[in-house]
Amino acid sequence: MSGIQCGGPAPDFTLRDQFGQDVTLSSYRGSKAVAILFYPYAFSGVCTGEMVGIRDRLAEFLTFDTEVLAISCDPMFSLRAFADQDGLNFPLLSDFWPHGEVARAYGVFDETTGAPLRSSYVVGKDGTVRWATHNAMPEGRDLDEHLRQLAAAV
């Protein structure tokens, strides 16, 4: 897995969230650091656990200076059902079509499964990648470390 390099610019994107609203990464430039969490599949065990963990700590992830964006290749309507089922009230972005385009731009699209790898990036207010981590499929993320890195990027 290659991923993108820390210190370089984060590839910009515009994706639809679970409500059909466009979310553009560069719209946060100059105002917020952003945690981008690629996850393989809505409704799967580890992914559900991670997203519920973020929901439970949302006040820590979302401040005046920070934002969290979760990205999968699931269709927008699946993401809406996933969000409704588990009370996920933060942006779940659909990289469905062109399928995996954003995950490919970040170097984390698995061509065999057609889904992103379990990878995370923290993008500073200046639009540069400050931190990246890649977890094996069965391993959940360390949300404490994500929060430390996000706070450091502010």
Side-chain angles (χ1 to χ4, degrees):
M1 167 186 359
S2 60
I4 55 174
Q5 298 301 312
C6 290
D12 196 20
F13 58 81
T14 299
L15 293 173
R16 289 209 169 148
D17 70 9
Q18 69 266 38
F19 302 108
Q21 300 299 309
D22 285 344
V23 175
T24 301
L25 177 62
S26 60
S27 70
Y28 299 104
R29 193 168 295 139
S31 62
K32 292 188 177 193
V34 180
I36 301 171
L37 291 81
F38 287 96
Y39 64 102
Y41 305 107
F43 299 105
S44 64
V46 176
C47 296
T48 298
E50 290 179 328
M51 296 304 119
V52 166
I54 292 167
R55 177 203 67 200
D56 292 348
R57 300 177 73 178
L58 197 58
E60 295 174 76
F61 275 96
L62 301 182
T63 69
F64 292 111
D65 297 316
T66 59
E67 181 66 58
V68 62
L69 304 175
I71 302 173
S72 75
C73 290
D74 296 296
M76 178 191 67
F77 299 107
S78 295
L79 295 179
R80 177 63 187 265
F82 183 44
D84 288 350
Q85 174 181 297
D86 291 306
L88 306 176
N89 53 350
F90 54 92
L92 303 179
L93 305 182
S94 176
D95 191 15
F96 182 71
W97 197 257
H99 194 76
E101 182 176 66
V102 174
R104 279 187 186 91
Y106 280 78
V108 297
F109 186 75
D110 184 334
E111 297 289 344
T112 304
T113 63
L117 301 169
R118 192 176 312 284
S119 296
S120 302
Y121 295 91
V122 169
V123 178
K125 288 181 179 182
D126 62 356
T128 62
V129 176
R130 301 290 184 86
W131 179 75
T133 188
H134 310 283
N135 291 63
M137 289 300 255
E139 290 178 25
R141 294 171 227 262
D142 179 346
L143 296 183
D144 289 329
E145 184 61 22
H146 280 66
L147 285 165
R148 278 191 291 278
Q149 296 296 332
L150 187 58
V154 173

